[in-house]
Amino acid sequence: MKKRSAERMTLKDVSVYGENELDEAQVRLENITLSISAGEWLNVVGVNGSGKSTLVRLLAGLHTFGAVGELERGFAGERGSPIVLQQPKAQLFGETPREEIVFALEWRGIEGQEIAAQAERALERAGLSELADEPWSRLSGGQQQLAAIAAATASVADAALVVLDEVTSMLDESNRDSVLRMVRGLHREGTAIVWVTQRLEELVPEARVVALREGTVFFDGRARDFLYGEAVGVPAADPSPVSPCLRAGLRLPYLATLAIELRKLGKLNDPLPVTSEEWRKVMGNAADKENKRAI
Amino acid sequence: MPRTKKTKERYKLSQPVPLLLDGIRWRLGDESENAARTSGLKLEPGTVTVLMGPNGVGKTTLLEKLAGLRPAEKLQVSYGSESLWTQSWTGKARLNENALLQYGYACQSAEDGLFARSVGEEMNYSLRPYPLSVEERSEKTSTAMKAVGWDDSWVERDPYRMSGGERRRTALASVFVSPAPWLLLDEPTAGLDGAGHEDVASQLRKIKSSGKGIVLVSHDSDWALALADQVLLLHSDGSLRLCSREQLLEHPQWLEETGMTVPEWLQMAHLLWSNGVSPEQAWHPAHAAAAIAASWPPDSLDLAVAGSADFTVKQMPKSADRGWKHRLAGFDPRSVWLAYVCLSTGLLFLGDWISLAVGAGVVASLLVGGHISLKRWQGLIVNYAMFSIFASLLFAWGTGGNGAIVEWGAFAEMLFPFLRTMLVLLLGLAIPLVMSPLALRRSLEQLVTIKGRSLRGARRLILIVTLMMRFVPVLLELWERFVRIFLARGKTASRNPIAFGRKLRDVAIPFLLALFRLGDEVSLALESRGVGEDSRPTHSVKMSWRLRDYGFVAFAIALAVGLWGFANR
């Protein structure tokens, strides 16, 4: 890994004022204070219109009208960071993965002789070597997203930060897994990731989650706490949901609901399971205890 | 008698009808593949069917075929006794408007299709094809608005002043308002908040219990299956498997057979079911929790104890056959361009009808010989032809001296240059089909590069032009998308000029709005690629002319000279 500035990226009291289609004043983000360390993985969640996209465009260093406050980009550097969006067709300019990556490398000003080899490496990292010269129509949505990520990261030397704005929302489970695998690979190499998602089953228990609600940071903590909250001392009959996820207006996925219900019934203790491995442990333990009891 | 016809239609609309599919391979839940048949697939009214399958298998396409928004190919769809496509006396397939009235359809991101200035107008637009009284309309409108959590005061609200989530609710309400016996919904809850999911779910339950049928595609599989009666699994070979949701709970691997990964939650629900939780309880986590709680050890559990866990990640299937490239892609793009310029010049020399016919023959044989299909541009070509004929007619109208309305000489004289230009256009349209825009950009940039330096203005212009070429198919797709929405909501297959004008208006507004959004995303993506900053791109491949490029251009020059010679014979 190349040496990078270890300075944190910080936002202090950042607000974004904008106008809607009818020139009416509108607050998109209000007093956001946030910091990201080099190499961190930050999940950003929130309902539509909560300001997710505005925030992550700001984090990517894209020019944002009406932004006030302090933004220090620290490790991410002054140049804009690569950003990948939900719709592959708006962000692919070539006709094949190879052409796309070559286009990105050319605009980065890489010497002509080196481009072919660099493109080959980028394709390999994305797992697209075999599909490098296939037209988009023959690639799945997930493969198109892999190419978009490869091209976006190829366009910046040794990207310190990559922003992915709901890149998996149109994908099924197996396509999503391959995109996540690639992004986790980037993260392992030391790239900081800002991952915007509507699909909460993607969250890893210890990962950091920032939840937005009406333009403000409503929650900033671990995914497990975001899904389940702290149930300590809360009477079972309390009507307001414990889960910050529910309070942010999001829908709790099946497994998370199951865990919360089991906690309510006094059958599960915190920390509640998030991943399928953790669930398997819980179920295994239940079976073990049951067997012991039977003997 | 129109009166009785109206009442008859109204009677039919209130009647639940089954949705019948023929001409598609399908089998029931546990039948083997050999049992597959191609007729008699029937979805009963009063049921919710969830359509599932991997990305790219064609769920949306199938839904659009059910709605008659795409040519049905072999699939025959009927709503009760109304079949979707009928044959006209010429043998051409025509949409049956009575069948279109049998469904309400919400496409993905249905809010993109909104165009009216108020919620009430959107509702009226959806109701317009149906013979309903004023009272019935207003009653249906307020019911539909309640279904998305709104009271009547929202009727006056302008969808353009709404947030994305509110616009989606407007779009859903304008589908719920439909009196049609079937609803076809493509990702109705994508991007909706938790409360929105609950509102839509409870509305779908109500619709179902009123005897209507629902076909649903949704990525939120846990949300959708909790509503489902049955599941249609779409395989990559295009065949279907119809099973009850209980059967899917029992055999989640059927999803894998379609190429999907079984979602983790469904693996868990399956596990719960095999531990004695009833299927009815397994779909709803709260009920499932109560059910297993009874059989669990009395003291509560911790996660802390170690257990063995294995986690397998499925590899994505790779497409089996290799890429296809047009043989002209092997030529230097500059030679293709130069050849095009030469040939076009030759075509423009054509001065009489006989030489024009020869020119048309040359163009046709080039297209056929090069295996280039202009089907992608069909709409554009037809429109250009119509425009040419119409403009020429207008020019020649009333100029006839002795009583003729149209002077045919003037008409032909006017039409001639149009047709000549059309030949040039047809050749030009073929170029982006055989060559990628970025390769074109590279070749054009090399043309304007002198001693390794290119003009910044020229470079920018070339980038813009080539990007526009790249996005023409995207724009066509976008336009076609709104045409489909128009057909699904307007329910008219008529082609008279008034209907055409209405279509133009109702399609153009959402199209332009979508265009702005697309432009926004494209510029963002370009900015993030480093394009537009003060950077100077490099060239990975220096293109060089080879012998065959000279040969190609020489061939084009020869053809052009031949055409010129023939024109001056």
Side-chain angles (χ1 to χ4, degrees):
Chain A
M1 209 180 95
K2 287 183 195 131
K3 216 178 147 191
R4 283 186 186 126
S5 155
E7 252 175 84
R8 292 163 76 81
M9 176 167 162
T10 54
L11 275 72
K12 203 174 161 216
D13 288 325
V14 172
S15 298
V16 177
Y17 301 98
E19 282 161 354
N20 61 13
E21 281 88 344
L22 291 149
D23 301 332
E24 288 162 350
Q26 192 185 31
V27 184
R28 300 213 170 141
L29 288 178
E30 204 170 5
N31 295 329
I32 303 278
T33 298
L34 195 70
S35 77
I36 305 173
S37 326
E40 197 174 0
W41 180 304
L42 176 73
N43 295 289
V44 178
V45 301
V47 300
N48 274 356
S50 57
K52 283 179 304 197
S53 289
T54 313
L55 175 64
V56 299
R57 278 158 207 217
L58 213 59
L59 295 180
L62 293 169
H63 187 74
T64 310
F65 286 105
V68 295
E70 283 174 44
L71 170 62
E72 294 281 340
R73 287 186 40 84
F75 72 90
E78 285 317 302
R79 212 184 150 184
S81 305
I83 181 166
V84 184
L85 307 171
Q86 182 181 341
Q87 294 285 350
K89 69 177 170 223
Q91 44 187 333
L92 296 175
F93 304 105
E95 303 275 294
T96 65
R98 190 191 306 279
E99 210 181 56
E100 192 62 43
I101 290 166
V102 168
F103 177 65
L105 290 170
E106 284 180 352
W107 276 94
R108 212 181 98 197
I110 301 287
E111 281 309 310
Q113 312 84 282
E114 291 168 31
I115 285 183
Q118 285 208 16
E120 200 54 58
R121 272 199 298 280
L123 285 164
E124 209 169 294
R125 264 213 305 275
L128 290 173
S129 298
E130 285 181 40
L131 302 168
D133 298 305
E134 301 279 343
W136 301 128
S137 55
R138 297 164 62 86
L139 265 58
S140 73
Q143 290 161 340
Q144 292 179 23
Q145 283 294 30
L146 291 176
I149 297 169
T153 45
S155 71
V156 175
D158 194 27
L161 172 76
V162 179
V163 175
L164 301 118
D165 192 354
E166 297 194 18
V167 290
T168 54
S169 65
M170 309 299 285
L171 304 182
D172 65 12
E173 271 83 4
S174 62
N175 276 293
R176 181 192 69 195
D177 289 346
S178 60
V179 170
L180 265 172
R181 245 197 324 278
M182 178 182 178
V183 177
R184 285 186 182 135
L186 287 170
H187 183 233
R188 265 196 305 278
E189 288 166 23
T191 305
I193 306 289
V194 171
W195 179 266
V196 185
T197 187
Q198 298 227 350
R199 303 174 79 178
L200 303 177
E201 61 272 20
E202 288 167 3
L203 299 179
V204 182
E206 303 310 322
R208 182 173 166 202
V209 173
V210 164
L212 295 180
R213 190 172 66 179
E214 290 166 7
T216 60
V217 173
F218 162 74
F219 177 92
D220 184 354
R222 303 284 139 216
R224 198 190 305 274
D225 300 327
F226 174 69
L227 290 172
Y228 301 132
E230 287 287 334
V232 185
V234 178
D238 188 348
S240 71
V242 180
S243 158
C245 168
L246 284 172
R247 279 185 282 138
L250 291 160
R251 186 179 74 98
L252 209 52
Y254 182 97
L255 287 176
T257 314
L258 186 66
I260 286 185
E261 292 295 330
L262 285 170
R263 181 173 67 186
K264 256 193 221 162
L265 294 166
K267 295 293 174 182
L268 271 184
N269 288 338
D270 284 320
L272 297 181
V274 176
T275 60
S276 56
E277 286 101 326
E278 292 179 346
W279 270 105
R280 239 165 281 176
K281 277 186 199 172
V282 166
M283 298 303 280
N285 291 344
D288 282 353
K289 282 206 181 181
E290 189 61 23
N291 289 342
K292 271 181 204 146
R293 213 157 53 105
I295 297 161
Chain B
M1 285 209 297
R3 178 95 201 132
T4 48
K5 188 172 174 248
K6 249 187 176 177
T7 23
K8 197 175 149 212
E9 264 177 19
R10 193 180 302 178
Y11 170 70
K12 269 158 85 182
L13 277 177
S14 60
Q15 285 295 311
V17 292
L19 174 52
L20 306 157
L21 280 79
D22 284 312
I24 187 166
R25 272 173 63 79
W26 73 284
R27 58 183 154 136
L28 276 172
D30 41 17
E31 288 174 346
S32 75
E33 260 177 83
N34 301 332
R37 68 223 89 157
T38 54
S39 68
L41 178 54
K42 183 174 180 186
L43 303 180
E44 295 290 349
T47 59
V48 176
T49 308
V50 174
L51 177 60
M52 298 179 86
N55 268 155
V57 76
K59 299 185 289 279
T60 296
T61 308
L62 180 60
L63 215 55
E64 285 173 349
K65 283 182 181 171
L66 293 185
L69 308 179
R70 271 178 198 279
E73 287 156 32
K74 283 181 197 149
L75 181 68
Q76 293 142 36
V77 180
S78 352
Y79 292 87
S81 60
E82 297 285 357
S83 77
L84 190 58
W85 294 89
T86 53
Q87 290 218 330
S88 72
W89 53 273
T90 52
K92 220 180 148 191
R94 299 206 78 153
L95 274 174
N96 171 10
E97 287 187 9
N98 274 343
L100 294 181
L101 291 173
Q102 305 291 322
Y103 70 79
Y105 173 74
C107 64
Q108 281 181 25
S109 317
E111 66 276 13
D112 292 349
L114 299 176
F115 59 88
R117 297 314 307 256
S118 73
V119 174
E121 270 179 52
E122 288 289 349
M123 303 289 159
N124 278 336
Y125 187 78
S126 292
L127 287 171
R128 200 175 57 187
Y130 297 95
L132 296 170
S133 68
V134 178
E135 299 81 58
E136 283 171 313
R137 274 165 208 272
S138 69
E139 186 218 308
K140 286 208 178 298
T141 301
S142 69
T143 316
M145 307 235 310
K146 268 198 208 90
V148 296
W150 290 345
D151 60 30
D152 283 347
S153 67
W154 282 74
V155 168
E156 298 299 322
R157 293 282 292 268
D158 181 349
Y160 292 115
R161 290 176 178 240
M162 292 180 176
S163 69
E166 288 169 342
R167 283 166 56 77
R168 168 66 62 80
R169 281 168 188 256
T170 309
L172 287 175
S174 68
V175 176
F176 293 153
V177 80
S178 160
W182 278 88
L183 284 190
L184 313 173
L185 307 171
D186 199 349
E187 299 288 353
T189 53
L192 273 190
D193 58 9
H197 277 83
E198 277 170 32
D199 286 345
V200 175
S202 73
Q203 179 62 15
L204 294 187
R205 286 199 186 92
K206 270 187 216 153
I207 290 174
K208 173 183 130 174
S209 62
S210 75
K212 293 183 180 189
I214 296 166
V215 182
L216 180 64
V217 174
S218 178
H219 275 130
D220 295 324
S221 51
D222 53 341
W223 174 85
L225 284 176
L227 290 166
D229 295 294
Q230 53 192 0
V231 183
L232 258 185
L233 299 172
L234 181 54
H235 295 75
S236 46
D237 63 357
S239 70
L240 289 167
R241 175 186 231 158
L242 180 67
C243 64
S244 69
R245 64 169 180 170
E246 284 68 32
Q247 283 179 307
L248 188 67
L249 187 62
E250 206 173 319
H251 308 281
Q253 71 276 14
W254 287 355
L255 283 178
E256 277 177 356
E257 288 173 25
T258 71
M260 286 177 79
T261 305
V262 182
E264 280 164 12
W265 77 267
L266 187 58
Q267 292 177 18
M268 173 59 87
H270 171 74
L271 194 65
L272 294 174
W273 168 82
S274 49
N275 279 302
V277 174
S278 79
E280 210 35 61
Q281 290 167 320
W283 300 113
H284 303 281
H287 301 169
I292 43 170
S295 66
W296 269 25
D299 45 336
S300 57
L301 282 168
D302 281 306
L303 185 56
V305 193
S308 63
D310 61 320
F311 196 61
T312 48
V313 183
K314 242 191 108 194
Q315 279 291 322
M316 223 168 32
K318 292 198 176 96
S319 69
D321 38 356
R322 299 292 304 163
W324 174 90
K325 257 192 175 166
H326 196 274
R327 64 180 90 151
L328 278 185
F331 287 95
D332 185 308
R334 286 171 296 176
S335 69
V336 177
W337 265 106
L338 201 56
Y340 170 60
V341 172
C342 293
L343 255 180
S344 309
T345 317
L347 286 170
L348 290 174
F349 273 120
L350 303 178
D352 59 286
W353 286 94
I354 297 169
S355 62
L356 188 71
V358 172
V362 168
V363 170
S365 54
L366 283 175
L367 292 178
V368 172
H371 297 290
I372 301 164
S373 160
L374 291 178
K375 200 164 186 322
R376 189 79 202 82
W377 309 110
Q378 192 186 3
L380 186 71
I381 294 167
V382 169
N383 280 330
Y384 178 80
M386 296 285 280
F387 172 76
S388 312
I389 293 170
F390 186 69
S392 309
L393 265 179
L394 207 66
F395 178 74
W397 197 266
T399 49
N402 34 18
I405 304 173
V406 177
E407 214 256 289
W408 293 107
F411 173 71
E413 198 178 308
M414 191 67 195
L415 192 61
F416 186 83
F418 273 125
L419 290 181
R420 199 169 51 187
T421 314
M422 185 153 169
L423 292 183
V424 177
L425 179 79
L426 290 178
L427 269 189
L429 288 177
I431 290 186
L433 294 177
V434 298
M435 194 188 295
S436 106
L438 282 189
L440 215 61
R441 167 187 149 251
R442 200 173 288 142
S443 77
L444 290 176
E445 262 185 20
Q446 246 174 278
L447 270 182
V448 298
T449 302
I450 305 147
K451 286 186 188 158
R453 307 193 54 146
S454 62
L455 296 168
R456 233 172 88 185
R459 212 172 56 214
R460 194 163 290 168
L461 186 72
I462 289 167
L463 182 70
I464 291 171
V465 170
T466 47
L467 285 183
M468 275 166 68
M469 280 178 59
R470 158 75 181 89
F471 280 98
V472 165
V474 177
L475 298 186
L476 279 177
E477 244 168 61
L478 205 61
W479 178 265
E480 281 158 11
R481 172 168 179 235
F482 290 111
V483 169
R484 284 198 293 274
I485 295 180
F486 170 78
L487 180 60
R489 293 188 69 195
K491 317 262 181 213
T492 169
S494 112
R495 290 176 180 192
N496 65 49
I498 296 171
F500 186 77
R502 194 176 289 149
K503 171 173 157 182
L504 207 60
R505 184 198 63 189
D506 297 350
V507 172
I509 295 173
F511 172 75
L512 287 175
L513 287 168
L515 208 58
F516 290 140
R517 278 194 301 275
L518 181 72
D520 193 40
E521 287 191 4
V522 169
S523 62
L524 200 77
L526 277 176
E527 192 181 339
S528 117
R529 291 270 194 291
V531 179
E533 284 173 38
D534 211 24
S535 55
R536 187 173 281 274
T538 54
H539 295 292
S540 58
V541 205
K542 193 92 181 162
M543 275 177 292
S544 56
W545 277 62
R546 278 168 295 181
L547 201 57
R548 57 169 158 177
D549 291 309
Y550 287 109
F552 190 65
V553 174
F555 170 66
I557 292 176
L559 262 182
V561 170
L563 282 172
W564 175 76
F566 189 75
N568 292 317
R569 70 190 180 279

